[in-house]
Amino acid sequence: MNHIIPIPAFKDNYIWAMVKVNGTGIAVIDPGDAKPVLTYLHNNQLSLNAILITHHHWDHSGGIAALSDQFKNIPVYGPASENIPGLTHPVKEGDIIALPAFALSLNVYDIPGHTLGHVAYYGSEMLFCGDTLFSCGCGRLFEGTPTQMVASLDKIKKLPLNTQIYCGHEYTLANLAFAQTVEPQNAYIAAKIAAVKSLRAQNYPTLPVTLASELQTNPFLRCTEPTVIKAVEQHTNLTLHSPIDVFTHLRAWKDQFVS
Ligand code: ZN
Ligand code: FE
């Protein structure tokens, strides 16, 4: 049995720590900063077994050097097609990462869009997806195209509905303001805003979130819903012909959105 613990970093990043019950070591996903990880390890008298990286951005990979320095010879998994100093195990779609210390294996998916080499890790109904999918939102397209991002989100949509999604940032409340602007009549979004406000008031994370919940509330996963298509058409004054068109203009709308 593993627990997944959020280690907060910077302003709104989560470094996800996989902790085996009664185990002695942990694995971390996207350690942008070594310091909070080292503090967590020290406070809990644990060592570090493995590092997994979803994409090259510094707020997800910046802690590799200091952690590898302290814990020699641990595997550092990350996208083969991105230049990330310190990777020992470059991975790509189709690869399976065995983590025997956690009785877990993780499938690697290529999910380009936010960056070109961005990967996700999926296993035991958990998805670690970095900055591709956020709760009620998605990552900005810094390197990839809308077509790539839609294909990446479609891969995630095909996972089991009870998949627990672990995202790289706590953006949920801000994302929901936009989601509600797009779909003001969506009752799932209204209910989610109440639940998320209550969690944040107590400083609890809003993650992980299930895929089932995201399919009800995340406009970027709802580009084929008539309500979303209509909202984007009204906002842009365009007639949109494909889910990629809808996604493209929805993403551009969100980029300009001030709640
Ligand atoms: Zn990023
Ligand atoms: Fe990030």
Side-chain angles (χ1 to χ4, degrees):
M1 178 70 189
N2 300 314
H3 287 159
I4 311 296
I5 310 279
I7 300 176
F10 309 117
K11 188 165 153 266
D12 48 34
N13 281 74
Y14 290 127
I15 300 167
W16 295 106
M18 190 178 303
V19 184
K20 187 172 164 53
V21 174
N22 297 322
T24 56
I26 71 169
V28 288
I29 294 99
D30 283 354
D33 191 3
K35 215 177 294 163
V37 176
L38 293 170
T39 302
Y40 178 85
L41 292 170
H42 177 80
N43 290 346
N44 295 281
Q45 292 297 299
L46 292 164
S47 69
L48 188 61
N49 282 353
I51 296 174
L52 293 92
I53 303 292
T54 62
H55 66 294
H56 68 84
H57 287 158
W58 65 271
D59 62 312
H60 300 254
S61 62
I64 295 174
L67 292 172
S68 304
D69 197 47
Q70 190 116 347
F71 298 93
K72 311 275 185 211
N73 304 318
I74 61 166
V76 183
Y77 302 93
S81 68
E82 295 193 345
N83 180 22
I84 303 175
L87 287 195
T88 63
H89 291 61
V91 294
K92 58 182 184 323
E93 177 140 330
D95 288 348
I96 296 174
I97 297 173
L99 297 171
F102 303 93
L104 177 69
S105 61
L106 293 170
N107 292 279
V108 180
Y109 290 97
D110 287 333
I111 49 166
H114 176 70
T115 66
L116 281 176
H118 201 304
V119 297
Y121 302 100
Y122 173 78
S124 291
E125 285 156 357
M126 300 181 296
L127 178 75
F128 299 96
C129 60
D131 288 356
T132 298
L133 182 70
F134 297 121
S135 181
C136 303
C138 77
R140 284 177 189 259
L141 303 183
F142 286 123
E143 298 174 11
T145 64
T147 303
Q148 286 175 319
M149 190 58 142
V150 168
S152 297
L153 296 176
D154 280 345
K155 278 184 202 174
I156 293 174
K157 281 168 87 167
K158 288 189 187 121
L159 294 172
L161 287 176
N162 60 351
T163 300
Q164 297 280 348
I165 302 173
Y166 294 84
C167 319
H169 291 265
E170 179 62 65
Y171 289 159
T172 313
L173 198 51
N175 286 341
L176 276 163
F178 178 70
Q180 195 168 47
T181 299
V182 176
E183 288 189 279
Q185 311 294 340
N186 183 325
Y188 294 112
I189 291 175
K192 180 111 189 167
I193 288 173
V196 162
K197 274 190 175 159
S198 157
L199 286 170
R200 294 310 295 148
Q202 300 165 83
N203 208 24
Y204 290 143
T206 63
L207 303 167
V209 63
T210 62
L211 179 59
S213 169
E214 286 304 295
L215 292 174
Q216 291 168 333
T217 55
N218 189 328
F220 295 98
L221 299 183
R222 295 171 58 78
C223 289
T224 56
E225 292 293 322
T227 47
V228 174
I229 298 168
K230 197 158 165 251
V232 180
E233 287 189 332
Q234 279 177 351
H235 180 76
T236 56
N237 235 337
L238 294 169
T239 304
L240 301 171
H241 299 288
S242 72
I244 290 169
D245 275 354
V246 176
F247 176 86
T248 302
H249 291 281
L250 184 65
R251 186 60 258 181
W253 183 3
K254 173 78 161 62
D255 288 345
Q256 305 298 324
F257 182 76
V258 185
S259 60

